[in-house]
């Protein structure tokens, strides 16, 4: 696309820190003739891509204020927050992915619902959706002679995947109920383990409870995140660290980033524990027992 990302920091919900985004727009950019110009690169900034991380809704109220003020487009990657919605404020009742200009969802295998692969785009802008649909089926201007006026893609979902999807979407609320029940089981037990904190979901939202993240305080718990990660995986309890931060990944080493601090902390101290909807109460007990067992007294 020729677009260049600029990476932002997260706040304690793991979502984009909107105060820092505002600071960046105010201090690092000029606003000229309705355009945000990056002082460093002199390039125009056109859009913000916000991810609702692990099912926790991002601060869309603040982001939409910035969008209006700076004339930006907002793309919500709501993959991890399918079914999460706001309970309070301007967007009470609105689902993640339905507030910005475009919402995108992946239906990859580990998502709350899956079609095996593929995804979905939502928008209130019908023209934009038509264009996306056109590009996703190879941008054929004439489907008899295969005339392409622009570069298209083969990004459509197959009808078999879509059939899975229509069945899965009916089960979404059931999956969320199970995820919430399991989250509360973990929460009750982990509250008593000194040195481990289960990250909360925003209480002014109804999250989908997709992923359960623990913060490991080495001083209090006795072993650090990496040791806990290794031990649990050795016992066939699948746990994962947070992703390696993108601005530190090889393809983006030369990309701009802005005051990334909190994300660095979470990258080394956070662990995701089993969260599949097919976990039984007994299996959750087993995970909790291990977490208690590894704690150094
Ligand atoms: C926020 C987010 N976006 C996108 C994806 C994946 O998208 P795709 O279906 O294109 O692989 C994932 C996870 O796989 C994700 O967590």
């Amino acid at each position: 696309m020729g677009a260049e990302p600029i990476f932002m920091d997260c706040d304690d919900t793991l979502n984009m820190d909107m105060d820092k985004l505002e600071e960046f727009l105010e201090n690092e950019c000029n606003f000229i003739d309705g355009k945000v110009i990056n002082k460093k690169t002199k390039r125009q900034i056109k859009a913000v891509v916000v991810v609702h991380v692990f099912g926790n809704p991002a601060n869309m109220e603040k982001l939409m204020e910035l969008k209006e003020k700076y004339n930006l487009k907002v793309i919500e990657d709501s993959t991890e927050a399918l079914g999460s919605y706001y309970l309070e404020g301007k967007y009470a009742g609105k689902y993640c992915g339905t507030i910005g200009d475009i919402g995108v969802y992946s239906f990859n295998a580990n998502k709350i619902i899956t079609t095996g692969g593929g995804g979905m785009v939502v928008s209130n802008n019908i023209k934009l959706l038509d264009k996306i649909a056109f590009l996703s089926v190879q941008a054929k201007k004439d489907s008899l002679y295969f005339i392409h006026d622009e570069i298209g893609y083969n990004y459509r979902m197959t009808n078999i995947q879509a059939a899975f999807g229509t069945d899965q979407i009916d089960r979404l609320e059931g999956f969320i109920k199970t995820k919430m029940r399991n989250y509360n089981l973990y929460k009750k037990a982990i509250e008593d383990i000194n040195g481990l904190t289960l990250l909360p979901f925003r209480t002014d939202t109804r999250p989908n409870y997709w992923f359960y993240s623990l913060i490991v305080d080495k001083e209090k718990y006795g072993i650090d995140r990496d040791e806990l990660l290794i031990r649990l995986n050795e016992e066939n309890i699948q746990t994962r660290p947070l992703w390696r931060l993108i601005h530190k990944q090889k393809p983006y080493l030369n990309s701009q980033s802005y005051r990334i601090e909190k994300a660095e902390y979470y990258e080394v101290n956070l662990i995701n524990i089993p969260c599949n909807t097919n976990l039984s109460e007994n299996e959750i007990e087993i995970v909790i027992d291990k977490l208690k067992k590894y704690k150094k007294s």
Side-chain angles (χ1 to χ4, degrees):
M1 294 174 70
E4 268 294 321
I6 304 165
F7 295 102
M8 292 287 138
D9 200 14
C10 67
D11 60 20
D12 289 316
T13 66
L14 305 181
N15 289 316
M16 189 184 292
D17 184 329
M18 299 306 171
D19 293 329
K20 272 193 180 166
L21 174 65
E22 182 173 36
E23 201 183 277
F24 173 81
L25 291 166
E26 270 173 18
N27 301 335
E28 306 296 322
C29 304
N30 291 314
F31 193 52
I32 307 164
D33 298 334
K35 291 179 182 166
V36 180
I37 305 295
N38 185 349
K39 283 185 190 169
K40 196 166 175 184
T41 61
K42 309 284 181 278
R43 286 174 64 124
Q44 185 186 354
I45 294 171
K46 294 187 179 172
V48 179
V49 182
V50 59
V51 180
H52 300 280
V53 176
F54 297 155
N56 217 3
N59 183 355
M60 287 304 288
E61 217 164 294
K62 176 87 187 206
L63 177 56
M64 294 304 276
E65 277 169 30
L66 295 173
K67 167 190 157 66
E68 289 309 317
K69 183 167 172 195
Y70 289 101
N71 193 23
L72 294 161
K73 300 283 184 212
V74 168
I75 300 159
E76 288 178 76
D77 184 340
S78 204
T79 291
E80 302 177 8
L82 179 67
S84 298
Y85 57 85
Y86 297 83
L87 292 173
E88 289 172 24
K90 190 170 172 194
Y91 297 115
K94 291 281 271 181
Y95 282 86
C96 290
T98 67
I99 296 167
D101 295 278
I102 296 183
V104 298
Y105 305 81
S106 163
F107 298 142
N108 231 343
N110 71 337
K111 300 299 171 293
I112 192 159
I113 70 166
T114 183
T115 58
M120 173 174 83
V121 180
V122 300
S123 177
N124 287 324
N125 184 335
I126 300 294
K127 257 176 86 176
L128 211 51
L129 286 180
D130 284 345
K131 180 76 192 252
I132 291 167
F134 175 71
L135 292 175
S136 76
V137 288
Q138 300 164 334
K140 289 189 203 103
K141 198 162 177 226
D142 183 308
S143 55
L144 181 60
Y145 292 99
F146 281 30
I147 309 295
H148 308 268
D149 281 354
E150 54 191 310
I151 292 172
Y153 305 86
N154 189 4
Y155 281 173
R156 69 176 166 279
M157 185 180 266
T158 65
N159 50 6
I160 297 168
Q161 285 171 316
F164 274 119
T166 53
D167 172 69
Q168 286 268 298
I169 199 101
D170 289 341
R171 298 166 63 189
L172 176 62
E173 275 303 313
F175 291 145
I176 294 175
K177 269 204 186 91
T178 308
K179 291 248 178 208
M180 184 168 76
R181 185 205 64 179
N182 292 349
Y183 176 82
N184 286 326
L185 287 173
Y186 276 129
K187 186 165 171 253
K188 209 160 155 253
I190 289 167
E191 269 166 3
D192 296 334
I193 308 177
N194 197 14
L196 293 184
T197 310
L198 186 63
L199 272 195
F201 287 96
R202 284 179 59 175
T203 53
D204 56 348
T205 67
R206 199 296 300 263
N208 70 358
Y209 298 90
W210 184 55
F211 257 35
Y212 311 141
S213 306
L214 283 180
I215 305 299
V216 184
D217 178 338
K218 188 189 166 195
E219 296 307 311
K220 293 184 183 149
Y221 189 63
I223 59 172
D224 67 10
R225 191 281 307 266
D226 287 319
E227 200 174 336
L228 180 60
L229 190 68
I230 291 165
R231 286 196 191 185
L232 287 168
N233 280 301
E234 273 173 1
E235 299 217 42
N236 289 325
I237 295 177
Q238 191 188 40
T239 48
R240 294 257 192 265
L242 197 62
W243 316 280
R244 176 60 48 86
L245 301 181
I246 306 175
H247 73 292
K248 298 198 294 198
Q249 307 264 14
K250 203 171 168 193
Y252 297 105
L253 287 177
N254 294 325
S255 296
Q256 192 176 351
S257 55
Y258 182 68
R259 290 190 54 214
I260 296 189
E261 294 145 343
K262 276 214 164 130
E264 298 276 0
Y265 167 81
Y266 286 112
E267 185 188 32
V268 289
N269 293 301
L270 187 146
I271 187 168
N272 283 318
I273 55 176
C275 64
N276 200 306
T277 45
N278 64 14
L279 276 177
S280 65
E281 281 192 36
N282 188 37
E283 285 168 323
I284 290 174
E285 283 298 317
I286 293 171
V287 179
I288 291 166
D289 284 348
K290 302 281 181 213
L291 292 173
K292 285 182 181 158
K293 185 176 115 185
Y294 298 146
K295 181 174 167 18
K296 294 264 163 63
S297 46

